[in-house]
Amino acid sequence: MSVPTRVLENGEWVTRFLDPYQILAQNRVQQEESSGPVTESPTAPSLAILTQTLVRSPVLKWICPARIRHETRNDVLYITEDAVQIKEAQQDYTLDHVTTIATFDSPIRGAKIFGLPRQSTKPNLSAIIKKEDEEYWLHDETAIKTEDEDELDRSDDDDDIGAGSDIDRESFYGNGEILGSTDEHAATAGAVRPSHRKLPPQLLILVLESEKIVFLYTTSGPADCPRFITSQRHLPHSPSRLYQLGEKIAVDPQSRAFAIAACEKTFYLYSLKTWQRLKKDLRKNANIAPIESERAFRVDGTILNMEFLHPVQHDRDHVILLLVVSKNGKSKLIWYVWDTQTCLHDAQLNPSMHTLPAEDCLPLLLIPLLAFNAFILVSETGISIYKDLLTGTPRRFIHELAHNEEAEELASSKKSPIWVQWARPMRSPSRRPSDDYIYLCREDGIVRYIDIKYNLPQMLDSNHDAGKLGMYINSSFAVIDLGPAAYDLLVAGGDSSEGGHWLFPARKAAEHLSSRPNWTPLLDSVRTSAPSECGGIFPNHVSMPGDARKFQRLLVCAGKAKHGSIAELRHGIRVERIADPVVLGSDLTYSILSIWALPSVQDAKQVLISHSTSSSLLIVWDDNHWELLDEVMGMDLDSTTIAATSITDSRVLQITETKACINFALNLVSQKPIWEHNFGEFGERVVAADTAGGDSCCQVVVAVQREHDFFLHYGVMGTKFAFIGEAVPLQAQPTCVSLHSSKSRTLVFVGNVDGSIEIFADAYEESFKGLRPVGHWRFDGSYQICDSIAILVLNDDEESLAACLIVCGLRNGQIHTLWFSNRISYSLVCREQIAVGHTSVRVSIDNTRRRRAIVSCDQMLYSIEYPEGFVSSAVGTLMPILLVDTPSAEARHDRMLAYSQAAAFSNTYDAWSGALLCVDENALHLMRVGNGGPQIVPRLWPLGGTPARMVYSGRLNRLVSLSLETAVVRPRQKNGFRAQAGKRALRPVVTFLNVNTHNKTANMDPDAMDTDRSSNGEGQAHRQVLNHQPGERFLGIMEWFPKIDINHYHVFIINTIIRDSLKPRAGRILLYAVTVGEEGNTRLAMKKAIDLPSPAHTVTSIPGEPAILYCCGNEVVVLTLDPSPTGFKFQTPIKTTMRSPGRHLTICEDLIYVSTANESLQVYRRGKEKLSYDSGDTIARNGIYHLHDSVHRIILTADMSGSVTGLWHPPGIQQANNSMTTVFEASFPRAITRLMHAGRPEWTEDVLVPGTGILLKDNATSHAGHPAHLRDQRANSILGTSTDGTITQMLILEKGWPLLKFVQNMCERCPPICPFRTEEPRRHLEPRTDNPRFLHVDGDVLKRLMERGGARLLGAMLDQPVPGRDSEARFTDFDSVEGRWERFGVLAGEVLGEGFDSGREERREVLLVEVVRWIRYLLRSAL
């Protein structure tokens, strides 16, 4: 008996007849021959993957002006794919970041604002509101305490949490995220405080992809940190995307109703409660339930537009909903009129219809006007104004737009740009009641201003060009109202260029004020260790003394067409310049040791400068004119200034080596000091000094030298200044002094040259006044001398100073954080050590953010910030401070020689208050530190075309990029006259960028007919237009260094695709030889072109051999160079056929790994004359990319569905089924297109010792018997980039993941952490391993736990009472509190080692503290 079967032979599938019995007999013979000792095959490793979103997509979907905090807070909502950012518009036309909410766990499908009608901006009462909120919070006894509160009150936590549902214990909130999550059909997740029941004028409506409606508003809390109040309502489920609600959202102008529509056939109409009723309901209970009733409607066709129209004047009872519906190429208007006096369910809502003419068949925008039921339909070439809709036959007025105007930007598309968004500016209705004004924005950035007059026959008064934004616009466009006396502020964002905001004065040109960074679409990325033009760009560069400094830089292809560029993504604290730099000159700047910002005087700013032997006073006028004074009557400028500060906004204190004096800031030049003390008269020289306090009481501590001894003076200034007590002797020469005081306690920390810190406190005995020593600390190691100290105090310890964090800057380039506590006895514990650089580290408290310190090292500025409640988790986040130019929003690379920060007085509102002053190599910069936390600040190299691929050449020290440039090719000019307009052409350009400088690329002449020449200029990047075939696009580029005998080649290989509508798709492999001219100009010369029958999607080289490997359609081909010296020739190719085209190709030893379009990862073994199939993924996925992880010996694959999978197969063993084992699988809301190793430098390979926080090198021994296996895993982190600009960090875990998964499972049932989870609550707390998807640890959920309470919230979840037997939240495992604690202790012991007991109550707090510190450590950013 024979059976037909298909067999792959020589790349072709053929039919062969096989005898199954013969095959079985052959298998038995082979098994007998191969029988021998039984060996166990290796098992797949037990691994999990920890993922977190490092950088969210910068693409804005909508911009909504709103008042969702307070009627005087002029908020601007930036709505992205999955987050809402709140900005506040200021009167100086700036937008200040307030907070971000990103806990929706689902993409946002639509957004609208509803509430009270918009009114003109009122006076800014932010300070009054802030004071009222803080006073309330200080006296709110029912407020839930967070982790950073007084540890002595922890025994009373149960009383503070208050009565509520069982989950009230989990209501710990922080840092402006979800405060409460309510559902209209369920109880609130926590008691809502009275301050949260103050309803703002407007609310935000969001429709999520998880088919939920979310109502959201915020309230202000301590430190002006808003809390989000939300409500949810489920939408009807639909399996088809076309019938899912949320594609269109419309709100009635009077907020009586809103509608949500799908793309096809269905929409829902919701009636809303009145605002007075909402306020009344909110006072009674915690629920926010704006919806009163709902009703579903069906229409026949595709819903193109939907809006509510304004009723006629004095008609307050009717709601008019208008839809534009298309079917079979024809469109019609359908409108519904609802009398609000009738219940929505009982109302007779019969639709009325009107067929649209062909010109309005596919309107781009539907704009409701303010009177006569009028509206505008916007098409590509004009607008149609419709009036009197309710009469049955609306009147139509046609007006043309400037459709013949040439597009502002030449994009890759050949289609004309379309109008994408509109906005209505705020105007006073009393001045022109019959007028309406509309801004129209086109996708190429052209803005038109339309003036509607209802008393005109055609209703249109003017339609003119308002300005050009010079960028690509999507649907994110809005006008911000700043009051009747202010100009219009336009805010816009795009998906392929930068956004920003512009000032549009009346009858004047638009002014670009600032830019919003954007690095999308992100088509390619490179993680390289290329050097930079100045050190310290990233915190990643830091190393221990003696180590070679390394830099890791992330370079990406960003933008399209004219806005295409290469961007270096730098992650740090954004600092914007608020004034033009003051050019001082290098002769002055290099002599500066330190600077101090003194209070500004009218139109002048004062800066005190300290030199090596003297001081000087710099006065900078508002026009940037400056004056340097060496002699001032009210100051001592003959000596080096040791310390200076602003006691108030009118008085300053200066301490030099010989004197201390106080004077008025207004009369420093012309008046003698108020008070003066001459240390030289007592034989003393000031070594170090510090001040603290304010107007009512200023305290000063001074370390002086008397001959060979050193002493400490302590003084207080009330009505007059006086030193208190006797001078306190010091053990060694002091290097720094730090003073921190409160109403009841004063602490002084003194760093000495012997590597110790002495601690002093004010005496309690009435018989003794002054300071007394209370503690001592010594640093171990060479050059560990403390040169600066910053004291960070807990929020609730400001009065008693019972506990604080001591941030020490050491001379060897390290930061040591010490935890100081004096509740029972004085104790000092080392929490963390961070290596920053090679030079001495200076630290100082940020005057605008008390949890943050400013760090200076290696002439670079950094910020180290600690989370709320850092008692239990002193893991600081070190980020570079990035100076940004305005309006370009581009990062600068200046070395900072000195810095200072102006005092932030509460009654001072000018730009000088809290400003950061920095002196670089040439100028003085005045900057403002942002409040948005770490963010991406790109550094751009414009290309003038759409970048496709890039590669960094270490030999050339250049970044080689391929871009597609759109140009207009015209004939050459003849006799001085320009010929007729030419035609658009797409041509590939290769650019050699020196990313170590900031030189812009050279511009090419678009009129030149010679397309194969390069335009080079001095200091510019070299660009070259490459020859190509019609329809050819470049897909990739790689560098190759083949060697044949004594011949060495340097070649760039480019793989292409050729598209022709009349022929099948083809491709080419292009080999270019590299030549470098005498002037350093790099050029590519065609070496060889290989024509292929199918596109070549990927190409790579074989290490150590003169051979390349590429995918051509469904084939994998190996090409080897011919060793004969007769030219650049290849031998006969070796190929094999796959079942799907290859997309990414790598080779490791003799195995070839191919990510295919439909068959996931396929592995082939390379032989001498053939390629044989080795193994592959068991699941067919649409593969994109893969990456080798040599540490864990697995392959990470990324596919189009948004999954990243870890695959493993036994090394050197071919399994019977030729399959690879899936170790884990992580799912993301978007596809990851590139994977790369984070490449952290060697110095981060450290060990965290639990309980001490000491970071040891990998070969160091552990302390106190604790295990030293907790390495800094960031060295093994993997970065994934997506096209929308999202950057994801992934970490493969061998140990500790069961504990992380156990904590995550609890968090997913906690509404304050995951308020929008769509799936059913997990019934298992125990981590499961029966599915690879269960081995994915969501780091975003763990970060929310860290932000909302840390150890306190984790303990509350473990202590959650057992629900009833009929409760849906009942667990199937570890249902009891004791069971959860016992399992938690076992899992924590596997990570932290023995010695942590979860059974004893007094040890549970320590266990929680160490677990949270370990989680924070794992979640540190690798950028």
Side-chain angles (χ1 to χ4, degrees):
M1 182 183 67
S2 60
V3 179
T5 183
R6 300 284 289 177
V7 180
L8 183 63
E9 292 184 0
N10 298 325
E12 297 182 358
W13 291 97
V14 296
T15 303
R16 295 288 184 266
F17 291 89
L18 302 177
D19 186 355
Y21 298 104
Q22 182 180 1
I23 295 176
L24 293 175
Q26 292 177 355
N27 290 339
R28 285 194 297 267
V29 173
Q30 292 177 359
Q31 292 177 3
E32 293 176 358
E33 293 178 352
S34 61
S35 61
V38 179
T39 59
E40 296 183 0
S41 60
T43 59
S46 178
L47 303 173
I49 184 169
L50 170 65
T51 67
Q52 59 174 318
T53 304
L54 287 186
V55 179
R56 297 189 179 275
S57 173
V59 177
L60 296 181
K61 300 180 69 174
W62 302 280
I63 299 177
C64 302
R67 307 272 174 148
I68 65 170
R69 289 191 296 160
H70 194 273
E71 61 181 0
T72 60
R73 299 294 180 90
N74 197 2
D75 292 332
V76 182
L77 307 184
Y78 283 1
I79 301 176
T80 63
E81 181 68 23
D82 54 2
V84 176
Q85 303 175 15
I86 300 180
K87 309 279 185 178
E88 183 173 2
Q90 304 295 338
Q91 294 299 320
D92 58 352
Y93 301 104
T94 60
L95 299 179
D96 293 340
H97 179 82
V98 178
T99 187
T100 300
I101 175 174
T103 58
F104 300 109
D105 292 317
S106 172
I108 299 174
R109 188 180 296 172
K112 280 289 184 179
I113 300 295
F114 84 99
L116 301 180
R118 291 176 58 193
Q119 298 179 356
S120 184
T121 301
K122 297 181 180 180
N124 193 339
L125 304 178
S126 300
I128 300 176
I129 300 169
K130 175 181 177 181
K131 182 178 179 181
E132 292 176 352
D133 290 336
E134 291 183 351
E135 288 178 353
Y136 171 81
W137 277 79
L138 290 175
H139 297 86
D140 184 12
E141 297 180 356
T142 64
I144 302 172
K145 297 185 177 182
T146 54
E147 180 187 340
D148 59 339
E149 298 190 54
D150 196 338
E151 294 180 347
L152 296 179
D153 294 335
R154 293 193 175 185
S155 59
D156 300 328
D157 287 343
D158 296 339
D159 298 332
D160 292 334
I161 290 175
S165 61
D166 292 336
I167 206 166
D168 281 342
R169 288 179 151 276
E170 300 172 291
S171 301
F172 294 85
Y173 315 100
N175 287 342
E177 292 288 348
I178 290 295
L179 171 68
S181 174
T182 64
D183 192 281
E184 296 187 60
H185 308 292
T188 179
V192 176
R193 306 180 181 91
S195 65
H196 303 149
R197 300 181 183 180
K198 300 177 182 179
L199 198 64
Q202 294 175 330
L203 273 70
L204 173 64
I205 302 178
L206 296 175
V207 178
L208 306 181
E209 293 285 353
S210 57
E211 298 181 328
K212 287 183 179 180
I213 305 176
V214 176
F215 301 95
L216 183 147
Y217 73 94
T218 69
T219 59
S220 297
D224 201 26
C225 185
R227 265 60 173 169
F228 290 92
I229 311 298
T230 64
S231 173
Q232 303 177 39
R233 186 184 183 96
H234 288 276
L235 287 170
H237 173 69
S238 176
S240 174
R241 175 74 180 186
L242 295 177
Y243 303 110
Q244 292 178 358
L245 298 174
E247 295 297 331
K248 304 288 188 299
I249 305 177
V251 177
D252 175 59
Q254 299 180 16
S255 295
R256 297 166 296 180
F258 75 97
I260 301 179
C263 291
E264 297 275 354
K265 296 186 178 182
T266 306
F267 74 91
Y268 271 65
L269 181 62
Y270 297 87
S271 63
L272 295 173
K273 300 177 182 177
T274 63
W275 213 249
Q276 291 74 15
R277 182 178 172 184
L278 281 178
K279 290 182 177 180
K280 183 178 179 180
D281 292 346
L282 194 60
R283 285 193 296 266
K284 292 181 179 179
N285 55 68
N287 289 338
I288 313 168
I291 296 178
E292 189 170 37
S293 61
E294 66 180 43
R295 185 172 174 180
F297 295 84
R298 292 184 64 84
V299 293
D300 188 15
T302 302
I303 302 175
L304 301 180
N305 305 91
M306 181 178 67
E307 287 287 352
F308 283 89
L309 300 184
H310 290 261
V312 295
Q313 193 174 7
H314 307 302
D315 182 3
R316 299 184 179 275
D317 296 333
H318 290 88
V319 172
I320 307 170
L321 178 63
L322 174 64
L323 297 91
V324 181
V325 180
S326 176
K327 182 180 180 182
N328 298 329
K330 296 182 180 181
S331 298
K332 55 186 176 181
L333 298 176
I334 301 178
W335 63 91
Y336 298 80
V337 181
W338 169 43
D339 187 352
T340 57
Q341 300 298 322
T342 306
C343 177
L344 179 60
H345 285 290
D346 300 332
Q348 297 294 329
L349 299 181
N350 297 320
S352 303
M353 301 182 186
H354 176 76
T355 303
L356 289 174
E359 297 82 3
D360 298 336
C361 187
L362 296 175
L364 300 174
L365 299 172
L366 169 60
I367 306 175
L369 299 180
L370 299 179
F372 300 108
N373 311 132
F375 60 92
I376 299 176
L377 293 181
V378 181
S379 62
E380 294 186 11
T381 59
I383 61 175
S384 298
I385 303 178
Y386 287 81
K387 181 182 179 182
D388 298 330
L389 179 69
L390 299 185
T391 61
T393 306
R395 290 187 290 171
R396 175 174 177 250
F397 308 98
I398 305 174
H399 301 278
E400 290 187 357
L401 293 174
H403 61 278
N404 294 325
E405 184 175 355
E406 186 177 355
E408 175 67 16
E409 308 288 345
L410 289 176
S412 300
S413 175
K414 297 182 180 180
K415 298 181 180 180
S416 301
I418 61 175
W419 303 97
V420 292
Q421 191 56 278
W422 66 277
R424 175 177 284 115
M426 183 66 64
R427 298 289 186 264
S428 175
S430 60
R431 297 183 60 185
R432 295 183 178 181
S434 62
D435 289 9
D436 197 358
Y437 306 92
I438 300 295
Y439 277 106
L440 270 183
C441 188
R442 207 165 68 176
E443 62 179 344
D444 59 352
I446 291 180
V447 179
R448 298 197 67 83
Y449 187 71
I450 301 176
D451 186 358
I452 303 293
K453 288 186 180 298
Y454 299 111
N455 53 7
L456 294 180
Q458 298 294 322
M459 298 187 64
L460 183 65
D461 184 26
S462 64
N463 171 23
H464 61 273
D465 186 5
K468 300 177 181 179
L469 305 183
M471 56 171 289
Y472 298 140
I473 303 294
N474 54 11
S475 56
S476 54
F477 175 78
V479 179
I480 310 304
D481 169 46
L482 294 175
Y487 296 125
D488 289 338
L489 181 66
L490 271 64
V491 185
D495 56 0
S496 59
S497 65
E498 292 182 336
H501 60 280
W502 291 259
L503 189 64
F504 272 61
R507 293 174 293 277
K508 295 181 181 179
E511 180 184 354
H512 187 195
L513 300 180
S514 69
S515 297
R516 186 179 187 274
N518 188 10
W519 51 93
T520 60
L522 198 159
L523 300 178
D524 198 9
S525 56
V526 172
R527 185 74 164 169
T528 177
S529 58
S532 177
E533 63 178 343
C534 67
I537 294 180
F538 294 97
N540 307 4
H541 80 283
V542 298
S543 57
M544 302 299 291
D547 293 343
R549 180 169 302 189
K550 303 176 182 178
F551 300 92
Q552 294 295 328
R553 308 170 66 183
L554 181 58
L555 303 169
V556 301
C557 294
K560 285 183 179 180
K562 183 180 179 179
H563 299 282
S565 62
I566 298 297
E568 178 186 353
L569 302 187
R570 304 175 60 193
H571 199 221
I573 304 298
R574 178 188 175 102
V575 176
E576 294 184 353
R577 181 184 288 115
I578 57 178
D580 294 333
V582 180
V583 180
L584 303 177
S586 59
D587 294 339
L588 174 59
T589 57
Y590 276 102
S591 66
I592 295 177
L593 296 180
S594 302
I595 61 174
W596 291 269
L598 304 183
S600 59
V601 181
Q602 298 178 354
D603 57 347
K605 300 176 178 64
Q606 302 179 102
V607 180
L608 181 60
I609 301 176
S610 176
H611 307 281
S612 58
T613 58
S614 62
S615 303
S616 58
L617 181 66
L618 177 67
I619 300 179
V620 182
W621 308 97
D622 287 346
D623 58 357
N624 257 25
H625 174 72
W626 59 275
E627 182 180 2
L628 189 66
L629 304 179
D630 296 329
E631 295 183 3
V632 177
M633 183 179 297
M635 305 186 72
D636 178 19
L637 301 181
D638 296 330
S639 304
T640 301
T641 300
I642 303 299
T645 186
S646 301
I647 301 177
T648 65
D649 56 354
S650 60
R651 289 187 292 176
V652 297
L653 168 65
Q654 180 197 16
I655 302 175
T656 65
E657 290 183 339
T658 58
K659 294 181 180 180
C661 53
I662 300 176
N663 204 342
F664 286 104
L666 300 177
N667 301 300
L668 287 178
V669 179
S670 60
Q671 190 179 37
K672 292 183 179 180
I674 301 174
W675 171 86
E676 185 179 46
H677 178 81
N678 194 330
F679 293 96
E681 296 179 355
F682 300 93
E684 297 177 337
R685 182 179 68 89
V686 177
V687 180
D690 194 18
T691 62
D695 193 6
S696 60
C697 180
C698 176
Q699 303 180 49
V700 179
V701 60
V702 181
V704 299
Q705 180 181 6
R706 299 177 189 169
E707 297 181 351
H708 302 292
D709 299 325
F710 300 91
F711 299 88
L712 191 66
H713 288 293
Y714 172 63
V716 178
M717 176 183 175
T719 56
K720 62 179 182 178
F721 188 88
F723 286 109
I724 299 177
E726 299 292 334
V728 180
L730 300 175
Q731 298 179 357
Q733 178 181 349
T735 57
C736 63
V737 174
S738 182
L739 169 66
H740 201 97
S741 64
S742 66
K743 295 181 179 179
S744 60
R745 185 68 56 84
T746 298
L747 293 175
V748 178
F749 295 83
V750 181
N752 298 328
V753 294
D754 61 352
S756 63
I757 292 181
E758 296 184 69
I759 308 170
F760 301 88
D762 52 350
Y764 295 103
E765 298 84 358
E766 296 183 357
S767 60
F768 178 80
K769 296 181 179 180
L771 299 176
R772 63 171 184 175
V774 296
H776 182 271
W777 179 266
R778 180 174 296 276
F779 299 100
D780 297 328
S782 59
Y783 300 101
Q784 292 200 4
I785 301 172
C786 184
D787 281 340
S788 60
I789 299 174
I791 304 174
L792 306 181
V793 184
L794 289 177
N795 300 342
D796 59 342
D797 284 332
E798 294 220 1
E799 298 297 328
S800 62
L801 291 181
C804 55
L805 195 65
I806 314 301
V807 183
C808 304
L810 304 188
R811 190 166 297 179
N812 64 353
Q814 296 182 17
I815 293 177
H816 287 212
T817 56
L818 311 177
W819 176 249
F820 174 78
S821 176
N822 64 348
R823 289 189 172 95
I824 300 177
S825 62
Y826 292 96
S827 62
L828 205 61
V829 179
C830 181
R831 283 293 189 182
E832 188 179 26
Q833 299 178 10
I834 304 175
V836 183
H838 291 122
T839 61
S840 178
V841 178
R842 178 193 170 190
V843 295
S844 60
I845 301 175
D846 187 352
N847 295 333
T848 62
R849 199 177 183 96
R850 55 187 170 186
R851 293 185 290 108
R852 183 165 63 193
I854 299 176
V855 180
S856 174
C857 183
D858 291 344
Q859 299 182 348
M860 295 299 297
L861 293 182
Y862 302 90
S863 167
I864 183 170
E865 186 169 355
Y866 294 87
E868 291 285 356
F870 54 66
V871 181
S872 59
S873 52
V875 178
T877 302
L878 185 68
M879 287 289 174
I881 292 179
L882 305 175
L883 173 60
V884 174
D885 276 331
T886 54
S888 64
E890 191 171 342
R892 294 176 55 90
H893 279 214
D894 298 327
R895 293 177 179 268
M896 297 301 171
L897 306 179
Y899 80 94
S900 177
Q901 191 176 24
F905 296 106
S906 58
N907 58 346
T908 304
Y909 299 102
D910 60 355
W912 189 254
S913 179
L916 186 65
L917 279 72
C918 296
V919 176
D920 63 8
E921 299 172 347
N922 190 48
L924 172 69
H925 301 272
L926 179 62
M927 301 173 291
R928 179 178 56 187
V929 182
N931 298 324
Q935 56 184 297
I936 286 292
V937 180
R939 181 188 181 201
L940 303 178
W941 289 269
L943 297 178
T946 303
R949 295 292 183 266
M950 62 181 177
V951 63
Y952 184 80
S953 174
R955 176 172 295 186
L956 298 177
N957 195 20
R958 293 290 188 273
L959 184 75
V960 185
S961 68
L962 287 176
S963 59
L964 193 65
E965 185 178 89
T966 304
V968 178
V969 180
R970 299 182 176 92
R972 294 184 182 274
Q973 299 180 10
K974 299 179 181 180
N975 302 325
F977 295 97
R978 181 177 294 274
Q980 295 181 355
K983 60 180 182 179
R984 294 177 62 186
L986 298 177
R987 53 190 183 187
V989 179
V990 59
T991 307
F992 299 90
L993 287 173
N994 184 4
V995 294
N996 302 324
T997 63
H998 202 263
N999 297 324
K1000 303 297 182 180
T1001 58
N1003 294 323
M1004 303 184 66
D1005 182 11
D1007 294 335
M1009 293 298 294
D1010 182 10
T1011 60
D1012 193 21
R1013 74 167 193 171
S1014 59
S1015 299
N1016 300 326
E1018 182 179 357
Q1020 295 177 329
H1022 310 305
R1023 307 174 74 239
Q1024 179 182 349
V1025 179
L1026 301 179
N1027 290 327
H1028 65 289
Q1029 296 182 3
E1032 188 171 23
R1033 301 291 185 271
F1034 291 176
L1035 299 180
I1037 183 173
M1038 62 159 292
E1039 196 174 18
W1040 188 31
F1041 302 97
K1043 176 184 176 183
I1044 299 178
D1045 295 334
I1046 61 174
N1047 298 322
H1048 296 261
Y1049 299 94
H1050 184 192
V1051 179
F1052 278 98
I1053 303 177
I1054 298 176
N1055 51 297
T1056 73
I1057 180 176
I1058 302 175
R1059 298 176 179 176
D1060 191 336
S1061 58
L1062 302 178
K1063 300 179 182 179
R1065 292 186 177 183
R1068 291 198 301 171
I1069 295 291
L1070 307 178
L1071 290 85
Y1072 291 90
V1074 182
T1075 60
V1076 180
E1078 296 180 357
E1079 299 180 356
N1081 297 342
T1082 306
R1083 291 187 60 85
L1084 299 182
M1086 177 71 73
K1087 194 76 173 179
K1088 188 177 183 60
I1090 304 174
D1091 296 327
L1092 302 175
S1094 299
H1097 288 283
T1098 178
V1099 62
T1100 187
S1101 61
I1102 299 178
E1105 299 183 23
I1108 62 173
L1109 188 67
Y1110 64 88
C1111 288
C1112 173
N1114 288 17
E1115 292 183 338
V1116 179
V1117 184
V1118 178
L1119 278 181
T1120 304
L1121 278 177
D1122 194 339
S1124 61
T1126 58
F1128 206 77
K1129 298 181 180 180
F1130 288 97
Q1131 298 177 0
T1132 303
I1134 302 174
K1135 62 179 66 175
T1136 187
T1137 302
M1138 304 179 295
R1139 290 181 293 178
S1140 177
R1143 291 293 181 259
H1144 181 229
L1145 190 66
T1146 59
I1147 184 169
C1148 182
E1149 298 178 350
D1150 60 341
L1151 295 179
I1152 299 172
Y1153 298 83
V1154 187
S1155 290
T1156 62
N1158 301 320
E1159 298 294 333
S1160 189
L1161 183 68
Q1162 302 293 312
V1163 183
Y1164 294 87
R1165 188 173 299 274
R1166 177 175 173 240
K1168 293 183 179 181
E1169 297 181 356
K1170 66 175 182 177
L1171 301 177
S1172 58
Y1173 180 79
D1174 182 83
S1175 57
D1177 193 357
T1178 56
I1179 301 176
R1181 316 173 198 266
N1182 299 327
I1184 305 176
Y1185 206 82
H1186 65 265
L1187 181 70
H1188 297 264
D1189 183 9
S1190 58
V1191 176
H1192 304 94
R1193 300 185 65 85
I1194 63 173
I1195 309 297
L1196 268 72
T1197 64
D1199 56 62
M1200 292 294 293
S1201 64
S1203 297
V1204 172
T1205 308
L1207 301 177
W1208 174 89
H1209 66 90
I1213 300 177
Q1214 186 172 2
Q1215 300 192 50
N1217 56 358
N1218 295 333
S1219 63
M1220 305 180 72
T1221 304
T1222 301
V1223 180
F1224 53 77
E1225 182 177 355
S1227 299
F1228 302 95
R1230 60 191 60 84
I1232 292 179
T1233 57
R1234 290 292 183 272
L1235 295 169
M1236 67 197 79
H1237 293 284
R1240 298 283 293 180
E1242 188 272 341
W1243 63 269
T1244 60
E1245 304 289 336
D1246 298 325
V1247 178
L1248 172 64
V1249 177
T1252 64
I1254 299 177
L1255 299 182
L1256 305 174
K1257 301 300 290 183
D1258 185 39
N1259 55 1
T1261 58
S1262 61
H1263 286 205
H1266 294 302
H1269 65 269
L1270 302 177
R1271 300 166 57 87
D1272 187 344
Q1273 300 287 349
R1274 289 180 298 173
N1276 301 326
S1277 295
I1278 295 170
L1279 298 180
T1281 59
S1282 302
T1283 307
D1284 66 349
T1286 303
I1287 301 178
T1288 306
Q1289 179 173 319
M1290 289 165 274
L1291 181 62
I1292 300 175
L1293 301 175
E1294 297 180 3
K1295 300 179 180 180
W1297 65 264
L1299 174 60
L1300 298 177
K1301 197 65 179 179
F1302 186 86
V1303 174
Q1304 177 189 335
N1305 291 342
M1306 289 192 296
C1307 293
E1308 289 178 344
R1309 275 192 295 265
C1310 180
I1313 299 178
C1314 299
F1316 302 101
R1317 284 288 178 177
T1318 58
E1319 59 268 16
E1320 292 293 327
R1322 295 180 182 271
R1323 304 306 173 91
H1324 290 274
L1325 290 182
E1326 180 67 20
R1328 299 170 58 183
T1329 59
D1330 53 334
N1331 191 314
R1333 291 181 178 269
F1334 297 154
L1335 299 176
H1336 174 205
V1337 181
D1338 192 345
D1340 292 337
V1341 174
L1342 298 179
K1343 283 198 296 187
R1344 297 177 201 171
L1345 171 64
M1346 301 298 105
E1347 296 168 357
R1348 287 162 177 73
R1352 179 70 62 86
L1353 180 53
L1354 179 58
M1357 291 189 296
L1358 289 168
D1359 288 334
Q1360 181 179 343
V1362 180
R1365 292 188 176 276
D1366 297 333
S1367 174
E1368 295 183 358
R1370 188 175 179 88
F1371 310 142
T1372 59
D1373 54 357
F1374 309 110
D1375 200 12
S1376 64
V1377 175
E1378 293 76 11
R1380 288 197 295 273
W1381 269 106
E1382 181 181 358
R1383 183 55 179 164
F1384 178 77
V1386 172
L1387 295 176
E1390 296 175 357
V1391 175
L1392 304 176
E1394 299 179 358
F1396 293 97
D1397 186 6
S1398 63
R1400 295 179 296 173
E1401 293 289 342
E1402 62 274 11
R1403 297 294 298 170
R1404 288 182 176 180
E1405 181 179 347
V1406 178
L1407 179 62
L1408 292 172
V1409 165
E1410 297 304 327
V1411 168
V1412 169
R1413 289 184 62 234
W1414 174 69
I1415 295 177
R1416 290 187 190 274
Y1417 195 74
L1418 287 180
L1419 294 177
R1420 292 194 299 176
S1421 171
L1423 282 180

